[in-house]
């Protein structure tokens, strides 16, 4: 009976702390770099936490995690839940990446289609593997 009484709070603690990477990385105010964090962002966050990389710059969160001693174990316990949630949300992550790529290509076309002299910068457009013909012509404007 006493073992069950000790097991219940331990299970409540474990289930309340797993999935931290999912909660942190899928938050709208997340400080993502949007470089390669589109697929499995929670697992990438957990791995960065365990390898003391953090989010780059002056992120002190991984150091504080290791100083608390229990945090690395909680992160490891939460990784299967984060992996499961990331796998379920893989389709929406792919859609989000396609939208961001489309917006970035539009930005590049806006930037390099009208260079200083008003003509498209064909060299830059071809460098980014974009179509020069997708630039608006002067006749339309």
């Amino acid at each position: 009976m006493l073992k069950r009484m000790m097991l219940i709070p331990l299970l409540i603690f474990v289930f309340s702390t797993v999935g931290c990477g999912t909660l942190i990385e899928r938050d709208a105010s997340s400080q993502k770099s949007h470089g390669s964090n589109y697929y499995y962002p929670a697992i990438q966050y957990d791995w960065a936490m365990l390898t003391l990389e953090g989010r780059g710059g002056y992120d002190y969160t991984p150091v504080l995690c290791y100083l608390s001693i229990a945090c690395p174990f909680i992160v490891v316990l939460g990784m299967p839940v984060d992996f499961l949630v990331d796998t379920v949300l893989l389709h929406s992550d792919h859609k989000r990446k396609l939208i961001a790529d489309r917006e970035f290509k539009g930005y590049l076309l806006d930037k390099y289609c009208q260079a200083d002299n008003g003509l498209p910068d064909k060299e830059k457009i071809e460098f980014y593997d974009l179509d020069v013909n997708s630039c608006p012509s002067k006749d339309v404007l």
Side-chain angles (χ1 to χ4, degrees):
M1 181 70 169
L2 186 59
K3 287 184 181 181
R4 285 186 185 171
M5 295 291 284
M6 295 297 287
L7 186 63
I8 290 172
L10 180 65
L11 287 175
I12 290 172
F13 175 74
V14 167
F15 286 123
S16 67
T17 57
V18 296
C20 294
T22 299
L23 295 175
I24 292 170
E25 283 300 308
R26 298 210 178 264
D27 184 24
S29 64
S30 176
Q31 300 173 352
K32 287 199 252 185
S33 64
H34 294 293
S36 63
N37 275 2
Y38 288 104
Y39 302 113
Y40 291 93
I43 292 296
Q44 290 181 16
Y45 175 79
D46 290 342
W47 184 253
M49 186 71 72
L50 291 174
T51 58
L52 292 174
E53 291 176 11
R55 293 181 180 163
Y58 297 106
D59 188 14
Y60 55 87
T61 311
V63 175
L64 292 177
C65 178
Y66 271 91
L67 289 176
S68 71
I69 298 174
C71 181
F73 297 111
I74 293 170
V75 170
V76 170
L77 282 174
M79 283 182 90
V81 174
D82 291 337
F83 181 78
L84 191 75
V85 171
D86 280 345
T87 302
V88 169
L89 296 175
L90 192 59
H91 181 70
S92 67
D93 290 342
H94 182 65
K95 279 185 172 181
R96 189 169 43 109
K97 182 179 183 333
L98 291 176
I99 290 169
D101 286 347
R102 189 177 322 129
E103 289 174 356
F104 184 63
K105 283 183 181 180
Y107 164 76
L108 289 175
L109 284 173
D110 287 344
K111 182 175 181 179
Y112 294 118
C113 280
Q114 297 180 5
D116 294 335
N117 58 4
L119 299 173
D121 187 356
K122 293 181 182 180
E123 183 179 310
K124 287 285 189 179
I125 292 173
E126 290 172 358
F127 175 77
Y128 288 111
D129 197 29
L130 299 171
D131 186 20
V132 179
N133 297 328
S134 57
C135 289
S137 65
K138 287 279 192 182
D139 302 339
V140 176
L141 299 174

